[in-house]
Amino acid sequence: MVDIHSHYLPCIDDGSPSAEMSLEMLRIAAQAGVTDVICTPHYRGDYKLPKNETLEKFREFEEYAKNAGLPVKLWPGQEVFMGKEGPGNIAEAPYLTLAGGKYLLAEFDPYSETGVYDAAINIISQGYTPVIAHAERLMRLSYDYIADVHALGAMIQVNAESFAGRHKKFFKDRVAAFFKGGLVDLVASDFHVSREYCMGKAYKLVEKKCGKDVAERVFVLNGKKILEGR
C-alpha cells in the first residue's frame, strides 16, 4: 500500500513527539503492508515550517529510518491548509507538493460551506492536481458539492480511520456514499500518534465491500501514480 497522507515526521507538528515514536509508527505501517509513505506535516497556523526546513527534517528522519532497517520508502510532502487566500503561486510557494510533483494535498476548514471548488479550480489552472484531504470531514459540503469538485479533476482522499476505526456513524456513512458514487480516489492513514492505525483493516473492508480492483486502485495504484508523477 501507498500512504499519501501521514504525520510521521517527529517534532514538526502534532503527529509525533520524538524520532523513536515516529519509528514505531512506521513499524506499525510496515506490518500493515505499507511500502511507501509520503510524510505530510501540516502547513498551517503554528506549523508553517518552510519547505527547505521541512526537507531538512525529512532527510534526517529518512536516514534514521533507513538505518533502522525499516522496509518503507519515505517521500516528502506537506498538508497545506487553504485559507481565504487560496494556494497562492504553487511553483514559488513556501510549502511542498506531494513527492515534489504536480499533486497538492489541500486541507480545508471542515465547517466552511465554500472555498473548495474555487481553490480546486485555482490549483488545476496552475497545472497541479488538488488532492482533497479527508474530504469526509468537510461536513458542511454536500455529496453533490464533493462530486462537482471531483468532476473538475480533483482527487478525493478519505481517512482509513473514518470508516474502519472508532469514528462516528456520520463519517462511516459519508465515506460509504463516496465509495458508492465512485468518488474515492485515495485512502490514507493521516496517522498521528494519538490516532488509531487502520490501513490494513480498511483495505480488507474495501476489498470485501467493493472488490479487489477498487481496493488496489485507492490503496496502491493511485498512490503510485502520485509518486511517479503521472
Side-chain angles (χ1 to χ4, degrees):
M1 290 182 285
V2 178
D3 189 0
I4 65 99
H5 179 180
S6 66
H7 296 265
Y8 292 99
L9 289 190
C11 309
I12 194 171
D13 65 2
D14 57 346
S16 169
S18 69
E20 293 77 15
M21 182 60 72
S22 292
L23 204 63
E24 181 57 30
M25 292 164 68
L26 270 182
R27 286 196 182 98
I28 292 170
Q31 289 168 2
V34 171
T35 59
D36 293 83
V37 161
I38 304 180
C39 298
T40 55
H42 289 293
Y43 186 83
R44 72 177 188 202
D46 294 336
Y47 300 130
K48 284 189 175 180
L49 198 66
K51 61 183 176 183
N52 60 325
E53 294 181 42
T54 301
L55 278 172
E56 185 178 340
K57 297 278 189 183
F58 169 81
R59 289 176 185 131
E60 288 175 2
F61 182 65
E62 181 184 35
E63 186 66 21
Y64 181 72
K66 192 178 296 182
N67 290 338
L70 289 183
V72 179
K73 183 171 175 53
L74 303 182
W75 304 75
Q78 281 177 295
E79 178 185 10
V80 183
F81 184 79
M82 296 287 118
K84 292 181 180 179
E85 69 279 4
N89 184 334
I90 301 172
E92 299 179 4
Y95 53 74
L96 294 167
T97 57
L98 294 177
K102 292 292 186 177
Y103 294 82
L104 176 63
L105 183 62
E107 181 185 25
F108 297 87
D109 180 351
Y111 300 105
S112 176
E113 297 179 3
T114 60
V116 180
Y117 192 89
D118 289 342
I121 290 176
N122 188 327
I123 293 167
I124 291 167
S125 72
Q126 296 187 56
Y128 292 79
T129 298
V131 178
I132 310 301
H134 37 62
E136 74 280 8
R137 291 188 186 177
L138 303 175
M139 294 178 285
R140 298 290 181 88
L141 302 183
S142 69
Y143 172 93
D144 288 341
Y145 187 107
I146 299 297
D148 287 344
V149 171
H150 188 253
L152 284 174
M155 298 183 82
I156 303 300
Q157 180 255 309
V158 299
N159 283 2
E161 188 185 21
S162 289
F163 65 97
R166 295 186 290 265
H167 269 307
K168 295 178 180 179
K169 187 174 182 294
F170 171 86
F171 291 111
K172 296 179 189 293
D173 290 347
R174 193 157 161 87
V175 172
F178 288 171
F179 267 110
K180 186 176 180 180
L183 300 185
V184 178
D185 297 297
L186 298 150
V187 177
S189 72
D190 189 13
F191 197 21
H192 295 59
V193 70
S194 59
R195 298 180 184 176
E196 183 181 4
Y197 193 80
C198 296
M199 286 290 279
K201 183 179 175 182
Y203 182 98
K204 292 176 182 177
L205 190 60
V206 172
E207 183 179 27
K208 179 180 178 180
K209 292 182 175 292
C210 304
K212 180 77 170 179
D213 288 347
V214 172
E216 283 293 297
R217 178 173 61 82
V218 300
F219 285 92
V220 182
L221 299 179
N222 282 344
K224 286 185 176 180
K225 182 179 176 181
I226 290 173
L227 297 181
E228 295 167 3
R230 293 186 282 112

